[in-house]
Amino acid sequence: MLNSSEKIIPQLAAQLLSAQRIVVMTGAGVSAESGISTFRDSEDSYWSQFDPMTLASLDGFSDNPQRVWHWYQWRRQQIALARPNPAHVGLAHLQRRLPLYLITQNVDGLHQQAGSQQVCELHGNIFINQCVSVSCNYREQHQDNASDLITCPQCQQAYLRPGVVWFGECLAAERLEAADLASRDCDLFLSMGTSAAVYPAAGFAALAKQSGAQIIEINPAATPLSEHADWVIRAPVGSVFERLMPLLS
Ligand code: OAD
């Protein structure tokens, strides 16, 4: 396993240019340099301050929809102020040049804002509202001015909830299948800015490894994936992309 060194960024550039099929998996650390909190790696992260079962589960919503809605409204406001950083912009650029499939656990839409056309949003998107009733398929783009709980305009019976995956819920089957297929079929898998702690997202690197792909992790901290990675770059991903992109243009 290589650690962060002067040579590692040129080596990463060479690997990217020679790979046939690349999969990139991003997590909250990729948006950290845009000012959005992560979930579990520091005192400021969301799950260090708030109980995930209260705010990110169907039971929590059923128990107190107002509390959950307002928490997501607060996050939406924070995210709306954020701008893509060099990692988002670099990945969008690489996607235009290289065979790169982008999977994200992030719900903030910053990859798309940076220009990425195809993004597999495994955990949904915070700017979507959807009906909480399983028998109603209503979905809409969130409107900024809607600050209070909204009753579903289609079924008129249940509240709208944010379009993100909550604890205990299944991921959308088509996204899960697409991410699974891409991971099994790649020869280079980059995991960046994720604690690699939440499944099924955390399992895709292992699928890629089983198929013979090189695994590279970019993260300032160790994760359960680190010991299985072929290389680890221990640095913030934005600074890695600031050094990487001039080598690729
Ligand atoms: P976590 O908060 O669990 O992990 C963030 C990771 O990013 C940590 O390993 C940090 O070391 C790393 N990190 C922090 N700053 C970084 C930087 N500048 N560059 C690179 N890495 C950095 O976030 P996720 O792994 O994304 O679920 O969490 C997975 C899921 O758990 C989230 O999608 C969310 C949460 O519950 C849903 O919202 C459904």
Side-chain angles (χ1 to χ4, degrees), residues 26-30 32-33 38-41 47 75 105-107 123 164-167 192-198 218-223 235-238:
T26 67
V30 169
E33 287 162 86
T38 56
F39 289 92
R40 49 179 71 71
D41 67 311
W47 301 151
R75 280 187 58 198
Q105 296 165 80
N106 298 344
V107 298
H123 293 165
V164 301
V165 178
W166 280 336
F167 287 99
M192 47 181 90
T194 173
S195 58
V198 175
I218 306 176
N219 195 319
T223 77
V237 69

PDB file of all heavy atoms in Angstrom, residues 26-30 32-33 38-41 47 75 105-107 123 164-167 192-198 218-223 235-238, ligand 1:
ATOM      1  N   THR A  26     -18.331   8.576  -4.166  1.00  0.00           N
ATOM      2  CA  THR A  26     -18.070   9.729  -3.301  1.00  0.00           C
ATOM      3  C   THR A  26     -18.966   9.697  -2.054  1.00  0.00           C
ATOM      4  O   THR A  26     -20.064   9.135  -2.074  1.00  0.00           O
ATOM      5  CB  THR A  26     -18.279  11.074  -4.040  1.00  0.00           C
ATOM      6  OG1 THR A  26     -19.656  11.247  -4.371  1.00  0.00           O
ATOM      7  CG2 THR A  26     -17.432  11.160  -5.290  1.00  0.00           C
ATOM      8  N   GLY A  27     -18.459  10.345  -0.994  1.00  0.00           N
ATOM      9  CA  GLY A  27     -19.220  10.467   0.241  1.00  0.00           C
ATOM     10  C   GLY A  27     -19.129  11.898   0.763  1.00  0.00           C
ATOM     11  O   GLY A  27     -18.578  12.791   0.091  1.00  0.00           O
ATOM     12  N   ALA A  28     -19.636  12.095   1.949  1.00  0.00           N
ATOM     13  CA  ALA A  28     -19.786  13.449   2.502  1.00  0.00           C
ATOM     14  C   ALA A  28     -18.478  14.234   2.540  1.00  0.00           C
ATOM     15  O   ALA A  28     -18.492  15.463   2.440  1.00  0.00           O
ATOM     16  CB  ALA A  28     -20.382  13.351   3.906  1.00  0.00           C
ATOM     17  N   GLY A  29     -17.330  13.539   2.661  1.00  0.00           N
ATOM     18  CA  GLY A  29     -16.043  14.232   2.688  1.00  0.00           C
ATOM     19  C   GLY A  29     -15.775  15.024   1.418  1.00  0.00           C
ATOM     20  O   GLY A  29     -15.022  16.006   1.443  1.00  0.00           O
ATOM     21  N   VAL A  30     -16.383  14.616   0.304  1.00  0.00           N
ATOM     22  CA  VAL A  30     -16.173  15.335  -0.961  1.00  0.00           C
ATOM     23  C   VAL A  30     -16.857  16.702  -0.922  1.00  0.00           C
ATOM     24  O   VAL A  30     -16.408  17.648  -1.567  1.00  0.00           O
ATOM     25  CB  VAL A  30     -16.636  14.466  -2.164  1.00  0.00           C
ATOM     26  CG1 VAL A  30     -16.680  15.257  -3.452  1.00  0.00           C
ATOM     27  CG2 VAL A  30     -15.712  13.268  -2.314  1.00  0.00           C
ATOM     28  N   ALA A  32     -17.244  18.313   1.998  1.00  0.00           N
ATOM     29  CA  ALA A  32     -16.802  18.997   3.228  1.00  0.00           C
ATOM     30  C   ALA A  32     -16.108  20.313   2.889  1.00  0.00           C
ATOM     31  O   ALA A  32     -16.304  21.324   3.572  1.00  0.00           O
ATOM     32  CB  ALA A  32     -15.874  18.093   4.030  1.00  0.00           C
ATOM     33  N   GLU A  33     -15.307  20.297   1.804  1.00  0.00           N
ATOM     34  CA  GLU A  33     -14.593  21.527   1.439  1.00  0.00           C
ATOM     35  C   GLU A  33     -15.516  22.551   0.760  1.00  0.00           C
ATOM     36  O   GLU A  33     -15.083  23.654   0.452  1.00  0.00           O
ATOM     37  CB  GLU A  33     -13.391  21.179   0.555  1.00  0.00           C
ATOM     38  CG  GLU A  33     -12.281  20.528   1.374  1.00  0.00           C
ATOM     39  CD  GLU A  33     -11.275  19.772   0.533  1.00  0.00           C
ATOM     40  OE1 GLU A  33     -10.326  20.386   0.053  1.00  0.00           O
ATOM     41  OE2 GLU A  33     -11.465  18.547   0.349  1.00  0.00           O
ATOM     42  N   THR A  38     -20.119  16.718   7.416  1.00  0.00           N
ATOM     43  CA  THR A  38     -20.135  15.270   7.211  1.00  0.00           C
ATOM     44  C   THR A  38     -21.077  14.660   8.265  1.00  0.00           C
ATOM     45  O   THR A  38     -21.688  15.383   9.054  1.00  0.00           O
ATOM     46  CB  THR A  38     -18.708  14.697   7.333  1.00  0.00           C
ATOM     47  OG1 THR A  38     -18.208  15.077   8.610  1.00  0.00           O
ATOM     48  CG2 THR A  38     -17.803  15.224   6.220  1.00  0.00           C
ATOM     49  N   PHE A  39     -21.160  13.330   8.273  1.00  0.00           N
ATOM     50  CA  PHE A  39     -22.112  12.686   9.191  1.00  0.00           C
ATOM     51  C   PHE A  39     -21.487  12.168  10.478  1.00  0.00           C
ATOM     52  O   PHE A  39     -22.104  12.199  11.526  1.00  0.00           O
ATOM     53  CB  PHE A  39     -22.832  11.533   8.477  1.00  0.00           C
ATOM     54  CG  PHE A  39     -23.792  12.031   7.447  1.00  0.00           C
ATOM     55  CD1 PHE A  39     -23.385  12.194   6.138  1.00  0.00           C
ATOM     56  CD2 PHE A  39     -25.074  12.392   7.796  1.00  0.00           C
ATOM     57  CE1 PHE A  39     -24.260  12.705   5.186  1.00  0.00           C
ATOM     58  CE2 PHE A  39     -25.955  12.899   6.860  1.00  0.00           C
ATOM     59  CZ  PHE A  39     -25.542  13.060   5.546  1.00  0.00           C
ATOM     60  N   ARG A  40     -20.250  11.641  10.369  1.00  0.00           N
ATOM     61  CA  ARG A  40     -19.765  10.936  11.560  1.00  0.00           C
ATOM     62  C   ARG A  40     -18.266  11.059  11.794  1.00  0.00           C
ATOM     63  O   ARG A  40     -17.701  10.245  12.494  1.00  0.00           O
ATOM     64  CB  ARG A  40     -20.154   9.444  11.494  1.00  0.00           C
ATOM     65  CG  ARG A  40     -19.843   8.739  10.206  1.00  0.00           C
ATOM     66  CD  ARG A  40     -20.229   7.269  10.230  1.00  0.00           C
ATOM     67  NE  ARG A  40     -21.663   7.034  10.208  1.00  0.00           N
ATOM     68  CZ  ARG A  40     -22.460   7.236   9.160  1.00  0.00           C
ATOM     69  NH1 ARG A  40     -21.974   7.687   8.026  1.00  0.00           N
ATOM     70  NH2 ARG A  40     -23.748   6.983   9.226  1.00  0.00           N
ATOM     71  N   ASP A  41     -17.569  12.043  11.246  1.00  0.00           N
ATOM     72  CA  ASP A  41     -16.118  12.032  11.442  1.00  0.00           C
ATOM     73  C   ASP A  41     -15.586  13.147  12.341  1.00  0.00           C
ATOM     74  O   ASP A  41     -14.395  13.198  12.589  1.00  0.00           O
ATOM     75  CB  ASP A  41     -15.384  12.056  10.091  1.00  0.00           C
ATOM     76  CG  ASP A  41     -15.591  13.371   9.362  1.00  0.00           C
ATOM     77  OD1 ASP A  41     -16.751  13.789   9.255  1.00  0.00           O
ATOM     78  OD2 ASP A  41     -14.597  13.967   8.931  1.00  0.00           O
ATOM     79  N   TRP A  47     -24.257  13.394  12.823  1.00  0.00           N
ATOM     80  CA  TRP A  47     -24.663  12.343  13.779  1.00  0.00           C
ATOM     81  C   TRP A  47     -23.905  12.439  15.101  1.00  0.00           C
ATOM     82  O   TRP A  47     -24.160  11.658  16.015  1.00  0.00           O
ATOM     83  CB  TRP A  47     -24.546  10.952  13.168  1.00  0.00           C
ATOM     84  CG  TRP A  47     -25.363  10.715  11.920  1.00  0.00           C
ATOM     85  CD1 TRP A  47     -25.040   9.841  10.916  1.00  0.00           C
ATOM     86  CD2 TRP A  47     -26.635  11.300  11.533  1.00  0.00           C
ATOM     87  NE1 TRP A  47     -26.007   9.878   9.930  1.00  0.00           N
ATOM     88  CE2 TRP A  47     -26.990  10.761  10.275  1.00  0.00           C
ATOM     89  CE3 TRP A  47     -27.502  12.235  12.113  1.00  0.00           C
ATOM     90  CZ2 TRP A  47     -28.168  11.113   9.601  1.00  0.00           C
ATOM     91  CZ3 TRP A  47     -28.659  12.608  11.436  1.00  0.00           C
ATOM     92  CH2 TRP A  47     -28.977  12.041  10.210  1.00  0.00           C
ATOM     93  N   ARG A  75     -31.060  21.984   6.593  1.00  0.00           N
ATOM     94  CA  ARG A  75     -29.972  21.434   5.768  1.00  0.00           C
ATOM     95  C   ARG A  75     -30.066  21.933   4.332  1.00  0.00           C
ATOM     96  O   ARG A  75     -29.057  22.245   3.693  1.00  0.00           O
ATOM     97  CB  ARG A  75     -30.019  19.900   5.792  1.00  0.00           C
ATOM     98  CG  ARG A  75     -29.401  19.328   7.062  1.00  0.00           C
ATOM     99  CD  ARG A  75     -29.311  17.828   6.998  1.00  0.00           C
ATOM    100  NE  ARG A  75     -28.543  17.356   5.866  1.00  0.00           N
ATOM    101  CZ  ARG A  75     -28.596  16.110   5.396  1.00  0.00           C
ATOM    102  NH1 ARG A  75     -29.378  15.215   5.977  1.00  0.00           N
ATOM    103  NH2 ARG A  75     -27.870  15.750   4.363  1.00  0.00           N
ATOM    104  N   GLN A 105     -22.994   8.991  -2.515  1.00  0.00           N
ATOM    105  CA  GLN A 105     -23.909   8.834  -1.377  1.00  0.00           C
ATOM    106  C   GLN A 105     -24.461  10.203  -0.979  1.00  0.00           C
ATOM    107  O   GLN A 105     -25.294  10.302  -0.086  1.00  0.00           O
ATOM    108  CB  GLN A 105     -23.151   8.236  -0.187  1.00  0.00           C
ATOM    109  CG  GLN A 105     -22.627   6.831  -0.451  1.00  0.00           C
ATOM    110  CD  GLN A 105     -21.589   6.431   0.576  1.00  0.00           C
ATOM    111  OE1 GLN A 105     -21.917   6.040   1.682  1.00  0.00           O
ATOM    112  NE2 GLN A 105     -20.326   6.528   0.215  1.00  0.00           N
ATOM    113  N   ASN A 106     -23.951  11.256  -1.607  1.00  0.00           N
ATOM    114  CA  ASN A 106     -24.357  12.610  -1.225  1.00  0.00           C
ATOM    115  C   ASN A 106     -25.705  12.964  -1.844  1.00  0.00           C
ATOM    116  O   ASN A 106     -26.017  12.552  -2.956  1.00  0.00           O
ATOM    117  CB  ASN A 106     -23.285  13.620  -1.645  1.00  0.00           C
ATOM    118  CG  ASN A 106     -21.967  13.341  -0.952  1.00  0.00           C
ATOM    119  OD1 ASN A 106     -21.940  12.608   0.032  1.00  0.00           O
ATOM    120  ND2 ASN A 106     -20.886  13.880  -1.466  1.00  0.00           N
ATOM    121  N   VAL A 107     -26.446  13.763  -1.104  1.00  0.00           N
ATOM    122  CA  VAL A 107     -27.808  14.119  -1.536  1.00  0.00           C
ATOM    123  C   VAL A 107     -27.877  15.596  -1.923  1.00  0.00           C
ATOM    124  O   VAL A 107     -28.948  16.145  -2.118  1.00  0.00           O
ATOM    125  CB  VAL A 107     -28.832  13.795  -0.423  1.00  0.00           C
ATOM    126  CG1 VAL A 107     -28.861  12.306  -0.118  1.00  0.00           C
ATOM    127  CG2 VAL A 107     -28.544  14.590   0.861  1.00  0.00           C
ATOM    128  N   HIS A 123     -28.368   7.606  -2.435  1.00  0.00           N
ATOM    129  CA  HIS A 123     -29.196   7.948  -1.268  1.00  0.00           C
ATOM    130  C   HIS A 123     -30.229   9.023  -1.566  1.00  0.00           C
ATOM    131  O   HIS A 123     -30.771   9.637  -0.652  1.00  0.00           O
ATOM    132  CB  HIS A 123     -28.290   8.370  -0.095  1.00  0.00           C
ATOM    133  CG  HIS A 123     -27.444   7.239   0.431  1.00  0.00           C
ATOM    134  ND1 HIS A 123     -26.359   7.418   1.252  1.00  0.00           N
ATOM    135  CD2 HIS A 123     -27.550   5.898   0.238  1.00  0.00           C
ATOM    136  CE1 HIS A 123     -25.824   6.238   1.543  1.00  0.00           C
ATOM    137  NE2 HIS A 123     -26.527   5.299   0.937  1.00  0.00           N
ATOM    138  N   VAL A 164     -34.777  11.498   0.308  1.00  0.00           N
ATOM    139  CA  VAL A 164     -33.510  10.848   0.671  1.00  0.00           C
ATOM    140  C   VAL A 164     -33.823   9.495   1.325  1.00  0.00           C
ATOM    141  O   VAL A 164     -34.913   9.301   1.867  1.00  0.00           O
ATOM    142  CB  VAL A 164     -32.672  11.717   1.644  1.00  0.00           C
ATOM    143  CG1 VAL A 164     -32.364  13.071   1.032  1.00  0.00           C
ATOM    144  CG2 VAL A 164     -33.384  11.895   2.983  1.00  0.00           C
ATOM    145  N   VAL A 165     -32.831   8.611   1.252  1.00  0.00           N
ATOM    146  CA  VAL A 165     -33.028   7.281   1.849  1.00  0.00           C
ATOM    147  C   VAL A 165     -32.777   7.382   3.354  1.00  0.00           C
ATOM    148  O   VAL A 165     -31.756   7.919   3.783  1.00  0.00           O
ATOM    149  CB  VAL A 165     -32.049   6.266   1.215  1.00  0.00           C
ATOM    150  CG1 VAL A 165     -32.205   4.896   1.871  1.00  0.00           C
ATOM    151  CG2 VAL A 165     -32.286   6.170  -0.286  1.00  0.00           C
ATOM    152  N   TRP A 166     -33.708   6.865   4.121  1.00  0.00           N
ATOM    153  CA  TRP A 166     -33.566   6.894   5.578  1.00  0.00           C
ATOM    154  C   TRP A 166     -33.114   5.529   6.108  1.00  0.00           C
ATOM    155  O   TRP A 166     -33.202   4.518   5.406  1.00  0.00           O
ATOM    156  CB  TRP A 166     -34.916   7.270   6.220  1.00  0.00           C
ATOM    157  CG  TRP A 166     -35.197   8.750   6.177  1.00  0.00           C
ATOM    158  CD1 TRP A 166     -34.289   9.757   6.084  1.00  0.00           C
ATOM    159  CD2 TRP A 166     -36.498   9.375   6.245  1.00  0.00           C
ATOM    160  NE1 TRP A 166     -34.932  10.972   6.100  1.00  0.00           N
ATOM    161  CE2 TRP A 166     -36.274  10.777   6.199  1.00  0.00           C
ATOM    162  CE3 TRP A 166     -37.798   8.906   6.353  1.00  0.00           C
ATOM    163  CZ2 TRP A 166     -37.318  11.696   6.256  1.00  0.00           C
ATOM    164  CZ3 TRP A 166     -38.837   9.818   6.412  1.00  0.00           C
ATOM    165  CH2 TRP A 166     -38.598  11.207   6.363  1.00  0.00           C
ATOM    166  N   PHE A 167     -32.640   5.518   7.336  1.00  0.00           N
ATOM    167  CA  PHE A 167     -32.192   4.260   7.950  1.00  0.00           C
ATOM    168  C   PHE A 167     -33.348   3.263   7.947  1.00  0.00           C
ATOM    169  O   PHE A 167     -34.488   3.611   8.252  1.00  0.00           O
ATOM    170  CB  PHE A 167     -31.676   4.507   9.374  1.00  0.00           C
ATOM    171  CG  PHE A 167     -30.340   5.195   9.375  1.00  0.00           C
ATOM    172  CD1 PHE A 167     -30.243   6.555   9.574  1.00  0.00           C
ATOM    173  CD2 PHE A 167     -29.174   4.479   9.112  1.00  0.00           C
ATOM    174  CE1 PHE A 167     -29.012   7.212   9.537  1.00  0.00           C
ATOM    175  CE2 PHE A 167     -27.941   5.121   9.067  1.00  0.00           C
ATOM    176  CZ  PHE A 167     -27.858   6.475   9.282  1.00  0.00           C
ATOM    177  N   MET A 192     -13.741   8.013  -2.400  1.00  0.00           N
ATOM    178  CA  MET A 192     -13.238   9.282  -1.854  1.00  0.00           C
ATOM    179  C   MET A 192     -14.232   9.959  -0.908  1.00  0.00           C
ATOM    180  O   MET A 192     -15.424  10.030  -1.183  1.00  0.00           O
ATOM    181  CB  MET A 192     -12.804  10.233  -2.969  1.00  0.00           C
ATOM    182  CG  MET A 192     -13.745  10.393  -4.120  1.00  0.00           C
ATOM    183  SD  MET A 192     -13.076  11.538  -5.357  1.00  0.00           S
ATOM    184  CE  MET A 192     -12.180  10.434  -6.404  1.00  0.00           C
ATOM    185  N   GLY A 193     -13.703  10.381   0.236  1.00  0.00           N
ATOM    186  CA  GLY A 193     -14.514  11.160   1.169  1.00  0.00           C
ATOM    187  C   GLY A 193     -15.649  10.388   1.795  1.00  0.00           C
ATOM    188  O   GLY A 193     -16.651  10.979   2.180  1.00  0.00           O
ATOM    189  N   THR A 194     -15.485   9.079   1.929  1.00  0.00           N
ATOM    190  CA  THR A 194     -16.526   8.303   2.627  1.00  0.00           C
ATOM    191  C   THR A 194     -15.894   7.478   3.738  1.00  0.00           C
ATOM    192  O   THR A 194     -14.791   6.966   3.588  1.00  0.00           O
ATOM    193  CB  THR A 194     -17.318   7.393   1.666  1.00  0.00           C
ATOM    194  OG1 THR A 194     -18.197   6.551   2.446  1.00  0.00           O
ATOM    195  CG2 THR A 194     -16.441   6.531   0.785  1.00  0.00           C
ATOM    196  N   SER A 195     -16.644   7.343   4.843  1.00  0.00           N
ATOM    197  CA  SER A 195     -16.163   6.529   5.961  1.00  0.00           C
ATOM    198  C   SER A 195     -16.292   5.039   5.651  1.00  0.00           C
ATOM    199  O   SER A 195     -15.860   4.211   6.442  1.00  0.00           O
ATOM    200  CB  SER A 195     -16.946   6.868   7.228  1.00  0.00           C
ATOM    201  OG  SER A 195     -18.321   6.651   7.019  1.00  0.00           O
ATOM    202  N   ALA A 196     -16.890   4.703   4.504  1.00  0.00           N
ATOM    203  CA  ALA A 196     -17.057   3.301   4.089  1.00  0.00           C
ATOM    204  C   ALA A 196     -17.704   2.480   5.202  1.00  0.00           C
ATOM    205  O   ALA A 196     -17.319   1.338   5.468  1.00  0.00           O
ATOM    206  CB  ALA A 196     -15.712   2.701   3.655  1.00  0.00           C
ATOM    207  N   ALA A 197     -18.683   3.093   5.864  1.00  0.00           N
ATOM    208  CA  ALA A 197     -19.310   2.454   7.021  1.00  0.00           C
ATOM    209  C   ALA A 197     -20.761   2.084   6.757  1.00  0.00           C
ATOM    210  O   ALA A 197     -21.361   1.343   7.535  1.00  0.00           O
ATOM    211  CB  ALA A 197     -19.236   3.401   8.221  1.00  0.00           C
ATOM    212  N   VAL A 198     -21.354   2.640   5.694  1.00  0.00           N
ATOM    213  CA  VAL A 198     -22.787   2.442   5.474  1.00  0.00           C
ATOM    214  C   VAL A 198     -23.010   1.553   4.245  1.00  0.00           C
ATOM    215  O   VAL A 198     -22.548   1.875   3.142  1.00  0.00           O
ATOM    216  CB  VAL A 198     -23.494   3.815   5.290  1.00  0.00           C
ATOM    217  CG1 VAL A 198     -24.956   3.644   4.934  1.00  0.00           C
ATOM    218  CG2 VAL A 198     -23.367   4.647   6.567  1.00  0.00           C
ATOM    219  N   ILE A 218      -9.142   7.949  -1.279  1.00  0.00           N
ATOM    220  CA  ILE A 218      -8.672   9.304  -0.949  1.00  0.00           C
ATOM    221  C   ILE A 218      -9.457   9.753   0.282  1.00  0.00           C
ATOM    222  O   ILE A 218     -10.684   9.918   0.223  1.00  0.00           O
ATOM    223  CB  ILE A 218      -8.902  10.303  -2.108  1.00  0.00           C
ATOM    224  CG1 ILE A 218      -8.279   9.776  -3.407  1.00  0.00           C
ATOM    225  CG2 ILE A 218      -8.319  11.677  -1.746  1.00  0.00           C
ATOM    226  CD1 ILE A 218      -8.546  10.664  -4.631  1.00  0.00           C
ATOM    227  N   ASN A 219      -8.751   9.902   1.385  1.00  0.00           N
ATOM    228  CA  ASN A 219      -9.408  10.252   2.655  1.00  0.00           C
ATOM    229  C   ASN A 219      -8.314  10.615   3.662  1.00  0.00           C
ATOM    230  O   ASN A 219      -7.349   9.861   3.797  1.00  0.00           O
ATOM    231  CB  ASN A 219     -10.226   9.042   3.165  1.00  0.00           C
ATOM    232  CG  ASN A 219     -11.205   9.412   4.249  1.00  0.00           C
ATOM    233  OD1 ASN A 219     -10.898  10.206   5.135  1.00  0.00           O
ATOM    234  ND2 ASN A 219     -12.397   8.833   4.192  1.00  0.00           N
ATOM    235  N   PRO A 220      -8.434  11.732   4.356  1.00  0.00           N
ATOM    236  CA  PRO A 220      -7.406  12.068   5.359  1.00  0.00           C
ATOM    237  C   PRO A 220      -7.370  11.083   6.529  1.00  0.00           C
ATOM    238  O   PRO A 220      -6.370  11.003   7.243  1.00  0.00           O
ATOM    239  CB  PRO A 220      -7.821  13.454   5.872  1.00  0.00           C
ATOM    240  CG  PRO A 220      -8.938  13.909   5.013  1.00  0.00           C
ATOM    241  CD  PRO A 220      -9.488  12.745   4.262  1.00  0.00           C
ATOM    242  N   ALA A 221      -8.456  10.323   6.713  1.00  0.00           N
ATOM    243  CA  ALA A 221      -8.519   9.397   7.857  1.00  0.00           C
ATOM    244  C   ALA A 221      -8.650   7.954   7.379  1.00  0.00           C
ATOM    245  O   ALA A 221      -9.133   7.698   6.270  1.00  0.00           O
ATOM    246  CB  ALA A 221      -9.723   9.758   8.734  1.00  0.00           C
ATOM    247  N   ALA A 222      -8.241   7.026   8.242  1.00  0.00           N
ATOM    248  CA  ALA A 222      -8.369   5.604   7.914  1.00  0.00           C
ATOM    249  C   ALA A 222      -9.837   5.186   7.971  1.00  0.00           C
ATOM    250  O   ALA A 222     -10.624   5.742   8.750  1.00  0.00           O
ATOM    251  CB  ALA A 222      -7.558   4.780   8.902  1.00  0.00           C
ATOM    252  N   THR A 223     -10.198   4.222   7.137  1.00  0.00           N
ATOM    253  CA  THR A 223     -11.559   3.671   7.128  1.00  0.00           C
ATOM    254  C   THR A 223     -11.454   2.146   7.079  1.00  0.00           C
ATOM    255  O   THR A 223     -10.363   1.610   6.842  1.00  0.00           O
ATOM    256  CB  THR A 223     -12.353   4.144   5.885  1.00  0.00           C
ATOM    257  OG1 THR A 223     -11.898   3.385   4.754  1.00  0.00           O
ATOM    258  CG2 THR A 223     -12.203   5.632   5.622  1.00  0.00           C
ATOM    259  N   ALA A 235      -5.179  12.619   2.166  1.00  0.00           N
ATOM    260  CA  ALA A 235      -5.225  14.075   1.984  1.00  0.00           C
ATOM    261  C   ALA A 235      -6.652  14.478   1.678  1.00  0.00           C
ATOM    262  O   ALA A 235      -7.444  13.652   1.198  1.00  0.00           O
ATOM    263  CB  ALA A 235      -4.301  14.472   0.836  1.00  0.00           C
ATOM    264  N   PRO A 236      -7.011  15.742   1.902  1.00  0.00           N
ATOM    265  CA  PRO A 236      -8.345  16.204   1.522  1.00  0.00           C
ATOM    266  C   PRO A 236      -8.502  16.135   0.005  1.00  0.00           C
ATOM    267  O   PRO A 236      -7.579  16.472  -0.746  1.00  0.00           O
ATOM    268  CB  PRO A 236      -8.372  17.665   2.004  1.00  0.00           C
ATOM    269  CG  PRO A 236      -7.219  17.807   2.940  1.00  0.00           C
ATOM    270  CD  PRO A 236      -6.197  16.792   2.536  1.00  0.00           C
ATOM    271  N   VAL A 237      -9.660  15.700  -0.423  1.00  0.00           N
ATOM    272  CA  VAL A 237      -9.842  15.391  -1.840  1.00  0.00           C
ATOM    273  C   VAL A 237      -9.749  16.647  -2.724  1.00  0.00           C
ATOM    274  O   VAL A 237      -9.275  16.580  -3.863  1.00  0.00           O
ATOM    275  CB  VAL A 237     -11.165  14.604  -2.028  1.00  0.00           C
ATOM    276  CG1 VAL A 237     -12.384  15.463  -1.757  1.00  0.00           C
ATOM    277  CG2 VAL A 237     -11.244  13.958  -3.380  1.00  0.00           C
ATOM    278  N   GLY A 238     -10.153  17.797  -2.184  1.00  0.00           N
ATOM    279  CA  GLY A 238     -10.059  19.034  -2.981  1.00  0.00           C
ATOM    280  C   GLY A 238      -8.605  19.347  -3.321  1.00  0.00           C
ATOM    281  O   GLY A 238      -8.284  19.689  -4.464  1.00  0.00           O
TER     282      GLY A 238
HETATM  283  P1  OAD B   1     -19.265  10.149   6.785  1.00  0.00           P
HETATM  284  O1  OAD B   1     -19.562  11.394   7.529  1.00  0.00           O
HETATM  285  O2  OAD B   1     -19.588   8.853   7.441  1.00  0.00           O
HETATM  286  O3  OAD B   1     -17.726  10.123   6.416  1.00  0.00           O
HETATM  287  C1  OAD B   1     -17.091  11.211   5.833  1.00  0.00           C
HETATM  288  C2  OAD B   1     -15.675  10.800   5.491  1.00  0.00           C
HETATM  289  O4  OAD B   1     -15.067  11.871   4.770  1.00  0.00           O
HETATM  290  C3  OAD B   1     -14.771  10.508   6.701  1.00  0.00           C
HETATM  291  O5  OAD B   1     -14.123   9.271   6.520  1.00  0.00           O
HETATM  292  C4  OAD B   1     -13.762  11.667   6.687  1.00  0.00           C
HETATM  293  O6  OAD B   1     -12.475  11.272   7.125  1.00  0.00           O
HETATM  294  C5  OAD B   1     -13.748  12.030   5.219  1.00  0.00           C
HETATM  295  N1  OAD B   1     -13.389  13.415   4.918  1.00  0.00           N
HETATM  296  C6  OAD B   1     -13.641  14.547   5.636  1.00  0.00           C
HETATM  297  N2  OAD B   1     -13.179  15.619   4.978  1.00  0.00           N
HETATM  298  C7  OAD B   1     -12.614  15.179   3.828  1.00  0.00           C
HETATM  299  C8  OAD B   1     -11.981  15.809   2.729  1.00  0.00           C
HETATM  300  N3  OAD B   1     -11.820  17.136   2.670  1.00  0.00           N
HETATM  301  N4  OAD B   1     -11.532  15.023   1.708  1.00  0.00           N
HETATM  302  C9  OAD B   1     -11.701  13.678   1.761  1.00  0.00           C
HETATM  303  N5  OAD B   1     -12.301  13.032   2.759  1.00  0.00           N
HETATM  304  C10 OAD B   1     -12.758  13.769   3.794  1.00  0.00           C
HETATM  305  O7  OAD B   1     -19.981  10.288   5.361  1.00  0.00           O
HETATM  306  P2  OAD B   1     -20.429   9.133   4.342  1.00  0.00           P
HETATM  307  O8  OAD B   1     -19.446   8.040   4.296  1.00  0.00           O
HETATM  308  O9  OAD B   1     -20.763   9.813   3.075  1.00  0.00           O
HETATM  309  O10 OAD B   1     -26.785   8.649   4.564  1.00  0.00           O
HETATM  310  O11 OAD B   1     -21.757   8.625   5.044  1.00  0.00           O
HETATM  311  C11 OAD B   1     -22.516   7.656   4.410  1.00  0.00           C
HETATM  312  C12 OAD B   1     -23.981   7.896   4.673  1.00  0.00           C
HETATM  313  O12 OAD B   1     -24.214   7.971   6.082  1.00  0.00           O
HETATM  314  C13 OAD B   1     -24.494   9.230   4.147  1.00  0.00           C
HETATM  315  O13 OAD B   1     -24.844   9.175   2.789  1.00  0.00           O
HETATM  316  C14 OAD B   1     -25.701   9.474   5.005  1.00  0.00           C
HETATM  317  C15 OAD B   1     -25.160   9.019   6.352  1.00  0.00           C
HETATM  318  O14 OAD B   1     -26.143   8.547   7.237  1.00  0.00           O
HETATM  319  C16 OAD B   1     -27.907   9.232   4.097  1.00  0.00           C
HETATM  320  O15 OAD B   1     -28.077  10.439   4.092  1.00  0.00           O
HETATM  321  C17 OAD B   1     -28.911   8.281   3.607  1.00  0.00           C
END
